[in-house]
Amino acid sequence: MAGGGGAGSTRGAGRGARARGAAGRGGRAGGARAGAGAGAGAGAGAGAGGGAKGALLGLVGAEGLRRGLGASEAQAAAIEAAARACEALNPTPRPLESPELLSGRWRLVYTTSDSILGRSRPFFLRPRGPIYQTIDAANLKLKNQEGWPTRTAVLADLEPSSPSEVAVQFRTFLLGGLLPVPAPARARGALDTTFLDAELRIGRGDKGNLFVLVQDDPAGRP
């Protein structure tokens, strides 16, 4: 989900000086500005964007959708349109300046990423348990975690490239959730948060994939 959202989406580019400058302004922003951003994002998300958000959540909750694996072309098109409607009403356009709102354990409910859905895997190795992305925006850390049957995870560092986008450098794969394996340097990605409130997060990866996640535990950290 970061850089695509999962361990499989590992390509993207670093950003250089602009990213380092944004890191100071964004990922580590705190204090009064962070608190105000979180409060405004939660309030606005429940207001003007509520109808669009409800429509999107209704679509991604359809029976048999399986996070997108079972989506028809018509369903995928409707979800894309609903996501864009939410993005047009995004209450938190600078999410890295609201680290408490962005942080936590988020559960993936829909994606267009074939690697995360496991389309190329044998059916018995496709993820059937929950898929989580846990973010610590203040410290620029991320963890993607896949449930049963593989129970794999990956840890990553984040580098802001704008107030809404981060470059993702995956550092360590956890096989079975326990056995650490260093990630290769090419294991990179990027993720732009295009909608954020206290309940819903929408992201776009560097390969154009869509990610829809719901907040599962605001106190969760990698």
Side-chain angles (χ1 to χ4, degrees), residues 20-21 47 103 154 163 177 192:
R20 289 190 293 272
S103 297
V154 60
D192 189 16

Side-chain angles (χ1 to χ4, degrees), residues 17-156:
R18 185 165 67 92
R20 289 190 293 272
R25 298 191 303 272
R28 296 184 175 88
R33 185 172 62 173
K53 184 172 77 171
L56 175 61
L57 291 174
L59 288 167
V60 300
E63 184 176 356
L65 195 70
R66 295 154 57 203
R67 287 186 290 252
L69 189 63
S72 66
E73 288 187 13
Q75 284 177 309
I79 291 169
E80 173 66 25
R84 289 189 180 277
C86 287
E87 290 168 334
L89 299 168
N90 182 13
T92 316
R94 303 172 70 89
L96 290 170
E97 295 179 4
S98 299
E100 288 305 312
L101 191 62
L102 182 58
S103 297
R105 186 175 71 178
W106 297 83
R107 178 170 55 86
L108 182 71
V109 292
Y110 178 82
T111 184
T112 57
S113 170
D114 287 344
S115 62
I116 293 175
L117 293 172
R119 287 191 190 277
S120 63
R121 303 185 204 175
F123 75 93
F124 56 87
L125 290 179
R126 291 174 181 168
R128 288 184 285 281
I131 297 175
Y132 295 114
Q133 182 173 79
T134 306
I135 296 175
D136 182 346
N139 294 301
L140 299 173
K141 300 293 183 183
L142 176 145
K143 179 180 182 180
N144 290 338
Q145 187 172 10
E146 189 177 290
W148 189 81
T150 62
R151 302 185 186 279
T152 58
V154 60
L155 304 175

Side-chain angles (χ1 to χ4, degrees), residues 82-83 87 91 93 95 105 110 130 147 161 165 185 191 198-199 201:
E87 290 168 334
R105 186 175 71 178
Y110 178 82
S161 54
E165 187 174 7
L191 182 66
E199 301 170 328
R201 178 162 61 91

